[in-house]
Amino acid sequence: KSPAIFDAMFFVVYLLQVWLLVLAKDDKGGWEESVNEEGKKVQTLKIEAPAMTEEDQYGYNMPDRYKCDSCRAIVHHLNEALHKQQPKSRRLKSWEYTDLFEETCRSAFEGYGIKLVNGENVLSGPGLKDNVELQPGMGAIQMGGENWKKRLAEECRKLIFEQVGEDDFYSFLYGKLKDGDSLDARDYCTKEAEYCKAQKLGPEAPKEEKKPKEKGKAERKPKTEKKPKSEKKSSTKVPAESSDKLRIEDFMRKLASKNGAKEDEYLAPRSEKDWEKLLVSVAGGIFNRQSQEL
C-alpha cells in the first residue's frame, strides 16, 4: 500500500476517534476569565492538539516515549480485572489467571490515545487520569484510534508473558490483594518491571572540572617496545564473507534492537506457541516498515 493510502486511512480514523476533552480545574469548568480591550469580562479556553510523529501514526510497536505510561495502564487494568475475578477463599489456578491476563490484554484498552499536556505529548486513557492535569484555561484533544489499542495489547503480552512472567505477576497482585495494600502502578513499573526510570530527588551533583594543564611541560609519551619482526604472511588469502549476510542469531538481535527490545530478547527459549506469537509480531513490524518505504 502506498503512503497516500495510509494517510487517507489515518485521516478517517482521526475524524472518527478524536475526542475533545475539556478538563476543569476550578468551578468555572476550565475557562479562564479575562478583560478584553473594551473592558468587558470574557472567558477563554485554549485548545491544543498533539503533533504526531510518523512513528505515532504508523508504527507497529509502542513508541519508547510512551512505554512507561503504557506499563502503568497495563498494570491498572490487570489489577482491576483480578479484583473482579479473584475468589476470597483460594488462589486462582495457573490456567485461570493466564486466561484472565490474556483476555484483559486483548480487550481492555479502549479509549486510549495521546494528548498535548503542558507542551508535551502524553499517553492518555482510563487508567492514566493523572496524566491530564492542565493549567486553568487550557483544554486538550485526544487523538486515538485502533493503533493505540493494538500497541497496548501487544505491550501487555510482552510485559506479562515475556518480561515479568504471568506466575510472578499474579503472585505480586495476589499478595497485594490479600494484605489489603493499594497498588502503585508507577512504583511497580519502575522497580519490578523496570519500564520506567526512577525520578532523581534533590539537586544534581556538580560535575568535576578538569584541571588545566601546566604550560611549558610537555607530556612525556610512554616508550613503546619494539615488536619483533613477524614472519612473512602467507600469500594465500582467505575470502571474506559478504558483509550483507547475517546468521539467524545476528539477524534476530538486530531486529530486536530495531523494535526497541533487548538484543537477546528474541533468542530466549520459549514454547512453540510463544515462538509463533513472536514471529507473527515480528512479521507485522517488518511489513509496516516496508510499506512505509514503498
Side-chain angles (χ1 to χ4, degrees):
K1 295 179 181 179
S2 67
I5 296 176
F6 279 114
D7 288 338
M9 291 172 61
F10 173 74
F11 184 68
V12 172
V13 173
Y14 166 76
L15 292 176
L16 295 175
Q17 298 293 334
V18 168
W19 297 281
L20 178 61
L21 301 178
V22 178
L23 304 171
K25 294 193 72 175
D26 54 21
D27 58 358
K28 299 181 181 63
W31 293 84
E32 188 177 55
E33 281 192 358
S34 60
V35 179
N36 64 12
E37 295 176 356
E38 300 175 358
K40 296 180 180 179
K41 286 186 178 181
V42 294
Q43 289 184 331
T44 58
L45 181 68
K46 184 179 180 181
I47 306 297
E48 293 185 324
M52 298 183 73
T53 64
E54 188 173 335
E55 186 181 22
D56 291 339
Q57 295 180 42
Y58 308 119
Y60 178 79
N61 295 307
M62 179 66 69
D64 288 341
R65 66 189 298 186
Y66 309 121
K67 280 200 171 185
C68 178
D69 286 339
S70 67
C71 175
R72 292 170 51 218
I74 290 163
V75 172
H76 168 83
H77 286 289
L78 291 172
N79 184 54
E80 192 176 61
L82 183 63
H83 271 68
K84 294 177 182 178
Q85 298 293 330
Q86 176 64 52
K88 294 182 179 179
S89 58
R90 65 174 179 87
R91 287 173 60 99
L92 291 177
K93 295 179 180 178
S94 176
W95 65 268
E96 290 178 310
Y97 59 72
T98 299
D99 286 351
L100 175 65
F101 292 158
E102 286 181 346
E103 176 58 30
T104 305
C105 285
R106 183 166 50 249
S107 60
F109 301 107
E110 297 284 355
Y112 280 87
I114 59 172
K115 293 179 185 175
L116 184 68
V117 178
N118 300 327
E120 185 177 353
N121 282 5
V122 296
L123 190 65
S124 174
L128 297 170
K129 293 181 180 178
D130 60 336
N131 266 8
V132 291
E133 292 185 6
L134 297 173
Q135 297 176 1
M138 299 288 289
I141 292 176
Q142 175 170 308
M143 298 183 69
E146 191 70 13
N147 270 355
W148 295 103
K149 178 182 177 181
K150 290 179 180 178
R151 289 167 182 162
L152 280 163
E154 182 61 24
E155 206 68 26
C156 182
R157 286 187 284 270
K158 286 180 182 178
L159 174 65
I160 303 306
F161 297 106
E162 295 180 21
Q163 182 155 342
V164 177
E166 61 270 32
D167 297 334
D168 290 343
F169 187 68
Y170 172 74
S171 296
F172 177 83
L173 292 185
Y174 180 72
K176 289 283 186 183
L177 184 60
K178 190 175 179 181
D179 296 339
D181 295 336
S182 60
L183 175 64
D184 186 334
R186 185 185 294 276
D187 186 68
Y188 177 84
C189 291
T190 301
K191 297 177 181 178
E192 303 292 334
E194 298 181 352
Y195 253 57
C196 302
K197 292 181 180 178
Q199 295 179 346
K200 294 182 179 180
L201 300 177
E204 293 185 0
K207 296 180 180 179
E208 293 183 3
E209 294 183 1
K210 293 183 179 180
K211 294 181 180 180
K213 296 178 181 179
E214 295 182 13
K215 295 182 179 180
K217 291 185 178 181
E219 291 185 353
R220 293 183 180 179
K221 296 182 179 179
K223 294 181 179 180
T224 55
E225 295 181 1
K226 293 182 179 180
K227 295 181 180 180
K229 293 181 180 180
S230 57
E231 296 180 1
K232 291 183 179 180
K233 295 181 181 179
S234 173
S235 60
T236 57
K237 294 183 179 180
V238 179
E241 291 184 3
S242 176
S243 60
D244 61 347
K245 292 183 179 179
L246 296 173
R247 294 180 303 167
I248 183 64
E249 294 88 348
D250 296 332
F251 173 75
M252 293 300 280
R253 286 192 181 97
K254 189 173 181 181
L255 195 59
S257 179
K258 281 185 179 179
N259 291 338
K262 295 178 181 178
E263 283 193 355
D264 292 330
E265 184 174 330
Y266 290 175
L267 300 178
R270 40 174 58 85
S271 66
E272 181 178 352
K273 184 178 179 181
D274 288 338
W275 274 114
E276 291 176 352
K277 287 181 179 179
L278 176 63
L279 292 176
V280 170
S281 171
V282 167
I286 294 173
F287 172 78
N288 281 341
R289 282 196 296 273
Q290 291 183 349
S291 297
Q292 294 172 27
E293 293 172 359
L294 293 178

